[in-house]
Amino acid sequence: MPDIFTLVDRYVDGLFAPEDEALAAVHETARAAGMPNIAVAPNQGKLLNLFAKLIGARRILEFGTLAGYSAIWMGRALPENGKLISLEYNPAYAEVARGNIARAGLASQVDIRVGAALDTLPDLARDETEPFDMAFLDADKRNYPGYFEWALKLVRPGGLILADNVVRGGNVLVPGDDPDARGADEFNRMAAADPRCEAVVAQQIGQKGHDGLAVVRVR
């Protein structure tokens, strides 16, 4: 029997974030490829979509593509001339994501770059001279501090940096030897103290468990 948080998630998803064929296909292709079940929930995808629309985002940078689920939600918020660049470490995941993004009709707007993000970001910063309006961090948490520094350089004043999984079931309180909890905790402390931004973490409880989303506005 699903717990109450999963039931409420399904209720919210059904009302506010029903999946169409393209979004449902992402889950199917991810399972077939043996990917971990760690994509954002539909209601979280809709939240990303709304954040992008609220700030009029035309350029979005994503850290961690997986099968392309969040990229589709954010890509659908872009204007016709908008662009989303998604950074993915795993070439096999990137290939699956490209197929899903093409199925959603976003191939011309979503560009997936393959490789370790901290290695590819210098080239991206050199080639992409126009700032981004929004960045979404949803890759390996141990590298969130480094990703955050890059996002602060690449996102315009007034833009947003969103970071998923920054509570980790409460493990950020005592990270111990968990490198992902340590990375999330360090990211949270950086976002709280950095004068270049203003931020907050919203706890989230649902079908993905207990976690949190950081919302950072670049000054």
Side-chain angles (χ1 to χ4, degrees), residues 54-215:
L54 284 168
I55 64 168
R58 193 172 59 81
R59 290 171 53 80
I60 299 174
L61 177 62
E62 179 181 44
F63 294 74
T65 316
L66 200 61
Y69 190 77
S70 53
I72 291 172
W73 274 109
M74 292 186 289
R76 287 176 169 176
L78 292 171
E80 190 173 338
N81 64 343
K83 181 177 185 180
L84 186 152
I85 296 178
S86 189
L87 310 178
E88 175 54 51
Y89 176 77
N90 190 313
Y93 290 4
E95 191 62 27
V96 173
R98 288 190 180 104
N100 289 326
I101 287 163
R103 186 181 297 106
L106 295 168
S108 64
Q109 292 178 286
V110 177
D111 177 13
I112 300 175
R113 309 281 179 94
V114 179
L118 293 177
D119 293 335
T120 60
L121 278 162
D123 289 339
L124 183 147
R126 182 196 63 220
D127 298 338
E128 299 290 327
T129 55
E130 189 176 351
F132 291 89
D133 304 294
M134 188 170 106
F136 178 48
L137 280 59
D138 195 19
D140 54 316
K141 318 312 167 192
R142 65 195 68 192
N143 281 318
Y144 267 25
Y147 298 158
F148 182 51
E149 284 290 348
W150 273 105
L152 282 171
K153 295 175 185 176
L154 295 170
V155 174
R156 64 168 172 82
L160 291 179
I161 300 170
L162 307 170
D164 202 14
N165 308 126
V166 296
V167 170
R168 309 200 62 73
N171 288 341
V172 289
L173 298 177
V174 186
D177 294 328
D178 181 345
D180 289 325
R182 289 203 308 269
D185 176 52
E186 184 179 349
F187 163 86
N188 291 336
R189 295 178 185 278
M190 290 171 65
D194 198 308
R196 293 173 291 178
C197 62
E198 49 190 336
V200 74
V201 169
Q203 288 193 83
Q204 296 174 316
I205 299 177
Q207 58 189 293
K208 297 294 183 178
H210 176 206
D211 222 312
L213 178 72
V215 181

Side-chain angles (χ1 to χ4, degrees), residues 4 8 18 37 44 98 129 134 179 199:
I4 186 63
V8 172
N37 182 25
Q44 294 168 326
R98 288 190 180 104
T129 55
M134 188 170 106

